[in-house]
């Protein structure tokens, strides 16, 4: 019985001393972790294990003492000189001691995200004042563990990336806003210069965060965008650039509207489809006639350049569902009247008229709407 009590007492004494100091990181976001000493003393001669991607920092009564890089160490007064000096161990005193041990991750913490919550305004040479948004990613690395402990961690037993993410986002957004606003790069050329701006910001941000013991070895601007209303205006400008000029753009819009009407299965769509088809056919015929006439003129009199003769009968423009269609030869109009696609109230115009007029009020077309006798009654 006395032997059993003696063994229990020795186990309790040994439990007051820590023999191995290490940190096995099973997370992906822990930057600093404090070894849970919980009032126990670290045994002089204990093993300190520092793995790759870590450093161990000893803190004594709030003062940063010794820093250990990756490796395995036996803690003695010889390899903890600063702590030994702070405690006055001048002659190799080997009693257990109390100290805070912080393991600091030195690897890169990737996929940290940043973005502007609100658009910022820049001055652009092409568009004037433009509001921009930007977002991207960066990598975080601890460059000075002691500075990090003093400036940000304090006595936090577990310091993770989420605790510093908002602080870093604010620093990053300020730097990005300043860089984009002062770069003098046109908005349309920002995409081609994002990589160069990102490389510049790596140095700028690392220098501004050095006092906190943090560096950003990698910084990426993934996208710079404009508000939706500006995007819509840019899309319109792009369409106009593709078409060429405002007149052709107006014709393009009219043709698009007529095409939509032609795809409408209703009566209005059928009429519009007929008029569009006639217009395209006339345009094709005119193009072919012009090509033949040009070839004949080139063969007969290569030195002269005469224009094509005027089309016979005049050319008429017709208003269909509020859109201009044509020109159409006058010979095609009776067929439209018969089909019910051209009526007295339909607006028409041709060269020489001051304004659009209802077809029934134009003398040259009034005859198309002359009264016709009713059908004969059936014979008995």
């Amino acid at each position: 019985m006395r032997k059993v009590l003696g063994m229990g007492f020795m186990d309790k004494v040994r439990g007051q001393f820590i023999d191995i100091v290490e940190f096995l990181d099973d997370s992906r976001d822990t930057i600093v972790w404090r070894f849970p000493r919980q009032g126990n003393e670290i045994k002089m001669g204990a093993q300190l294990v520092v793995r790759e991607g870590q450093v161990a920092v000893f803190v004594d009564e709030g003062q940063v003492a010794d820093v250990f890089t990756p490796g395995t160490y036996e803690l003695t007064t010889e390899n903890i000189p600063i702590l030994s000096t702070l405690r006055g161990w001048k002659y190799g005193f080997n009693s257990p001691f109390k100290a805070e041990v912080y393991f600091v991750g030195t690897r890169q913490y990737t996929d940290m995200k940043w973005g502007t919550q609100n658009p910022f305004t820049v001055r652009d040479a092409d568009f004037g004042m433009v509001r921009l948004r930007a977002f991207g990613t960066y990598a975080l690395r601890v460059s000075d563990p002691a500075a990090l402990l003093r400036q940000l961690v304090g006595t936090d037993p577990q310091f993770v990336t989420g605790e510093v993410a908002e602080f870093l986002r604010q620093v990053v957004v300020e730097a990005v806003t300043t860089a984009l606003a002062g770069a003098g790069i046109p908005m349309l050329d920002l995409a081609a210069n994002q990589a160069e701006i990102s490389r510049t910001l790596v140095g700028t941000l690392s220098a501004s965060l050095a006092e906190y013991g943090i560096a950003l070895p990698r910084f990426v601007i993934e996208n710079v965008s404009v508000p939706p209303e500006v995007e819509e205006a840019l899309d319109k400008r792009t369409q106009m650039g593709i078409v060429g000029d405002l007149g052709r753009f107006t014709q393009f819009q009219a043709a698009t509207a007529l095409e939509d009407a032609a795809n409408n299965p209703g009566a209005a769509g059928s009429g519009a489809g007929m008029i569009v088809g006639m217009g395209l056919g006339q345009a094709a015929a005119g193009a072919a006639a012009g090509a033949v006439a040009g070839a004949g003129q080139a063969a007969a009199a290569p030195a002269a350049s005469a224009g094509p003769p005027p089309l016979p009968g005049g050319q008429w423009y017709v208003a269909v569902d509020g859109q201009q269609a044509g020109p159409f030869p006058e010979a095609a109009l009776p067929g439209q009247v018969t089909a019910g696609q051209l009526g007295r109230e339909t607006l028409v115009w041709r060269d020489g008229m001051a304004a659009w007029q209802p077809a029934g009020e134009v003398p040259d077309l009034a005859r198309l709407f002359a009264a016709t006798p009713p059908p004969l009654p059936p014979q008995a």
Side-chain angles (χ1 to χ4, degrees), residues 252-266 268-270 272-273 276 320-321 323:
F252 167 76
Q253 287 185 313
T256 302
L258 287 174
E259 182 179 359
D260 293 339
N263 292 329
N264 184 353
S270 300
V276 171
V320 179
D321 294 332
Q323 299 291 334

Side-chain angles (χ1 to χ4, degrees), residues 31 107-109 112 138-142 164 168 214-217:
I31 301 177
R107 66 176 180 85
Q108 290 192 24
Y109 296 85
M112 301 285 289
Y138 63 91
L140 164 67
R141 181 175 61 82
V142 176
V164 74
L168 293 178
I214 295 175
L216 303 187

